[in-house]
Amino acid sequence: MKVVIQRVKEAKVEVENKVVGKIEKGFLVFLGITHTDTKEQADYLVKKLCNLRVFTDREGKMNLGLKEVVGELLIVSQFTLYADCSSGNRPSFTEAAKSEQANKLYEYFCYECEKNNIKVERGIFGADMQVSLINDGPVTIVIEK
């Protein structure tokens, strides 16, 4: 399981020109799931994500977490995080989990984040999404478990 976390001032996801998820200050999270991923791995990443201290405190240091800044999460499934580009110019996606398994873990991941009393918005699993954001920093962090 892999997450790409972007600290944002705002972010939104649109499907067919309709906004389906939108946040203000917080994290835009791209979640990639491979076929061997488990709920235990999701739990680990949820804990890391919800407690990640990368917001600036009064002294200008990255020392505050989502809860302290009343941040929000926009979580978008992204199978392309498991693209294999080692051979040729067309990526292979065989390491990405099949839709049914990936959707279950995606929903579980989102639900577990919500249990941390953090507002969670979502993309639409499997949809053709347009994602826009104002990156804050920029701060982009990749965590894999």
Side-chain angles (χ1 to χ4, degrees), residues 3-60:
V3 291
V4 176
I5 304 159
Q6 294 190 307
R7 187 178 75 182
V8 298
K9 292 184 178 188
E10 63 182 59
K12 69 179 178 178
V13 175
E14 294 179 88
V15 175
E16 297 178 0
N17 296 315
K18 180 183 176 192
V19 175
V20 297
K22 182 178 180 177
I23 64 167
E24 298 299 322
K25 182 179 198 170
F27 294 145
L28 170 59
V29 179
F30 295 105
L31 176 65
I33 299 169
T34 189
H35 51 82
T36 57
D37 286 337
T38 64
K39 286 183 176 181
E40 291 75 25
Q41 288 166 293
D43 292 339
Y44 171 87
L45 289 172
V46 165
K47 184 176 179 181
K48 280 287 191 190
L49 174 66
C50 292
N51 293 293
L52 194 61
R53 296 177 11 198
V54 296
F55 291 94
T56 308
D57 65 14
R58 292 180 194 210
E59 296 174 10

Side-chain angles (χ1 to χ4, degrees), residues 55-125:
F55 291 94
T56 308
D57 65 14
R58 292 180 194 210
E59 296 174 10
K61 296 181 181 179
M62 283 201 247
N63 199 30
L64 301 176
L66 274 174
K67 294 175 191 174
E68 290 138 321
V69 300
V70 193
E72 304 170 332
L73 292 170
L74 175 54
I75 304 173
V76 177
S77 64
Q78 190 169 356
F79 76 94
T80 60
L81 291 178
Y82 278 99
D84 179 0
C85 298
S86 61
S87 176
N89 294 318
R90 184 171 183 262
S92 167
F93 299 105
T94 58
E95 290 304 308
K98 302 289 184 213
S99 270
E100 185 177 325
Q101 176 195 5
N103 191 25
K104 285 180 184 176
L105 273 175
Y106 169 72
E107 291 296 331
Y108 176 81
F109 185 91
C110 292
Y111 176 72
E112 291 299 309
C113 287
E114 289 170 337
K115 285 173 47 178
N116 282 273
N117 295 318
I118 297 170
K119 178 185 174 189
V120 176
E121 293 280 314
R122 306 171 190 209
I124 296 178
F125 186 88

